[in-house]
Amino acid sequence: MASPESCRYMKSHEWVSFEGDTAVVGISDHAQKEITDVVFVELPKPGRTVRQGEAVAVVESVKAAFDIYAPVSGEVSEANAALAGDPALVNSSPHDKGWLFKLKGTQPSEARSLMDFAGYGGFLKASAH
């Protein structure tokens, strides 16, 4: 689905990739490694309107629950139904089968405020110190 290099990233480790006028949202490979074993995902319902930076989903692991924020504003058009039966897809395939939800009616210009792949890599290195 989304190659990590083509995504834009939030400091809270969500990624967004655009397929035409649809934004696909997930969490980064780095985030899934930090969260560890995902056991449940609470996803937003289609039709919900979300604003950039709004908490819209929850990922629960054996460690804790983590809010997931919308990288761009839009209307939820689809939630990844496969995660209900296999939430571990977030760990095993964070940029492909483990995507969380899709948004339509987005403002792609909002994505320009997010980090590109190189910027996200630099952010991760800086925050590791």
Side-chain angles (χ1 to χ4, degrees):
M1 179 167 292
S3 74
E5 296 80 14
S6 69
C7 295
R8 304 292 289 190
Y9 296 86
M10 296 179 71
K11 288 182 178 177
S12 51
H13 308 289
E14 292 82 2
W15 59 260
V16 62
S17 178
F18 290 91
E19 295 176 347
D21 62 352
T22 300
V24 183
V25 179
I27 63 168
S28 71
D29 186 51
H30 171 82
Q32 71 79 18
K33 287 176 184 167
E34 293 291 310
I35 290 171
T36 66
D37 301 324
V38 174
V39 295
F40 179 75
V41 181
E42 181 182 319
L43 297 171
K45 301 229 180 307
R48 177 178 169 185
T49 301
V50 301
R51 300 186 66 70
Q52 184 180 37
E54 179 182 344
V56 296
V58 177
V59 172
E60 293 183 21
S61 75
V62 294
K63 283 184 175 179
F66 303 88
D67 284 335
I68 304 301
Y69 301 93
V72 294
S73 302
E75 180 182 317
V76 177
S77 59
E78 184 180 351
N80 188 349
L83 297 179
D86 191 2
L89 287 171
V90 172
N91 294 118
S92 63
S93 185
H95 282 272
D96 188 21
K97 295 179 181 152
W99 61 273
L100 301 175
F101 56 91
K102 294 182 180 181
L103 298 169
K104 64 180 181 181
T106 61
Q107 301 294 322
S109 60
E110 290 179 337
R112 288 197 280 276
S113 68
L114 305 175
M115 295 173 279
D116 63 11
F117 184 70
Y120 181 64
F123 166 76
L124 293 177
K125 285 181 184 163
S127 57
H129 299 304

